[in-house]
Amino acid sequence: MIRIENLHKSYTTGVNKLHVIKGIDLRIEAGELVSIMGSSGSGKSTLLNIVGILDNYDQGSYHLDNMLITEMSEKKAALLRNKYIGFVFQSFNLISFKNAMENVALPLYYQNVSRKKRNIAAMEFLDRMGLKDWANHLPNELSGGQKQRIAIARSMITKPKIILADEPTGALDTATSYDVMKLFKEINDLGITVIIVTHEKDISEMTNKIIRLKDGLIESVNGTKILVEDHVNEMSNV
Ligand code: ADP
Ligand code: MG
């Protein structure tokens, strides 16, 4: 499903160039439940944004479903995202003046689905998240856990093959975090590939594969160290 080879990415601000992804090789098969762990600044969000076609990379290759993802128009990127990927973020990213149902329905608006149809679909997903009774509420009338479940419903409504979640439990208490992780497990049980970025060990331990990033490189997979020698060639190109 996801095949990344020798991936590099730098950010340039003014005259400064910051090498953030320093030669990552990664394969994620369809149906996996994966976490990407690592301390703040290790490159987790950058990697996830590349996987989600929200950002470009400088070097190496990224294949999604055997398709080379390389520089493309924003229109094409949006089409691919809409077809393949659902996103969930730490800060929920709900639209404050739209109610729960309208927030969930929004991705279907971009697929030109009629209002009636997208609201019916949104109600179905809200129901699956146990939030049917909250359909007419605005985000500021909902708890953090409810907001995240709405964001998850929104990410699911286009029936994506992959859900990408960047610190989805970062703003939630422990019990609510575990509820959200249970939801991701259920989503994964449907066959959807789920990739969760987190810096919380207990959260990552609820996934089936733990990829640990350090300074823009994969340090270990499920605790098995990736040999430093494997990175030497990439490092010497820096
Ligand atoms: P993580 O998600 O693991 O905390 P990030 O991928 O967000 O790490 O960031 C990795 C590094 O890249 C950090 O040093 C961060 O400050 C820097 N960075 C992230 N996004 C940008 C950007 N848009 N412009 C410049 N630097 C960035
Ligand atoms: Mg981050």
Side-chain angles (χ1 to χ4, degrees):
M1 175 107 281
I2 289 166
R3 195 168 81 238
I4 284 172
E5 272 151 12
N6 192 26
L7 192 80
H8 288 258
K9 163 88 182 169
S10 297
Y11 290 112
T12 309
T13 37
V15 291
N16 297 312
K17 199 170 160 203
L18 188 64
H19 199 184
V20 175
I21 301 290
K22 301 177 180 170
I24 282 183
D25 294 302
L26 179 62
R27 267 169 191 263
I28 294 173
E29 305 301 335
E32 283 199 88
L33 174 58
V34 179
S35 56
I36 300 175
M37 273 278 277
S39 53
S40 179
S42 56
K44 304 183 297 296
S45 295
T46 301
L47 179 60
L48 202 74
N49 289 345
I50 292 170
V51 170
I53 328 179
L54 289 168
D55 206 349
N56 290 318
Y57 54 92
D58 304 326
Q59 233 191 84
S61 64
Y62 166 32
H63 287 84
L64 170 64
D65 213 10
N66 288 321
M67 222 181 341
L68 178 65
I69 305 299
T70 181
E71 299 223 4
M72 59 178 76
S73 67
E74 179 45 37
K75 196 173 169 194
K76 172 124 191 269
L79 277 173
L80 283 175
R81 283 197 298 268
N82 223 312
K83 178 165 176 214
Y84 281 94
I85 299 165
F87 293 95
V88 178
F89 301 96
Q90 173 171 1
S91 50
F92 322 123
N93 292 10
L94 300 176
I95 296 178
S96 60
F97 55 86
K98 291 197 178 289
N99 69 29
M101 178 185 71
E102 291 162 342
N103 268 285
V104 173
L106 193 62
L108 295 182
Y109 169 83
Y110 295 108
Q111 291 186 353
N112 297 317
V113 177
S114 74
R115 182 190 300 269
K116 193 170 166 203
K117 276 191 182 164
R118 51 181 203 260
N119 286 349
I120 289 170
M123 287 307 290
E124 258 175 54
F125 277 92
L126 277 176
D127 196 15
R128 279 165 65 177
M129 300 292 153
L131 288 170
K132 211 169 90 183
D133 295 341
W134 295 87
N136 298 317
H137 287 255
L138 294 173
N140 67 8
E141 298 168 327
L142 303 166
S143 70
Q146 287 173 325
K147 280 189 249 195
Q148 199 56 304
R149 279 187 284 154
I150 286 165
I152 292 170
R154 179 185 56 188
S155 77
M156 292 282 291
I157 200 162
T158 53
K159 302 193 163 70
K161 294 183 169 66
I162 305 170
I163 299 278
L164 301 178
D166 196 347
E167 309 263 8
T169 62
L172 305 176
D173 62 65
T174 305
T176 310
S177 294
Y178 290 2
D179 287 345
V180 162
M181 285 307 292
K182 224 175 107 193
L183 262 179
F184 281 125
K185 274 195 179 222
E186 287 168 19
I187 289 168
N188 179 247
D189 285 341
L190 301 171
I192 298 171
T193 309
V194 178
I195 306 176
I196 297 167
V197 160
T198 182
H199 60 262
E200 296 166 285
K201 191 164 175 279
D202 53 340
I203 296 296
S204 72
E205 282 168 353
M206 291 175 207
T207 68
N208 301 327
K209 188 194 261 182
I210 304 175
I211 295 161
R212 187 173 263 285
L213 283 196
K214 189 180 177 188
D215 295 334
L217 286 168
I218 294 181
E219 183 185 31
S220 66
V221 177
N222 278 346
T224 304
K225 288 252 186 273
I226 304 296
L227 289 176
V228 177
E229 283 85 334
D230 292 348
H231 296 312
V232 166
N233 287 334
E234 285 86 358
M235 293 298 281
S236 61
N237 291 333
V238 170

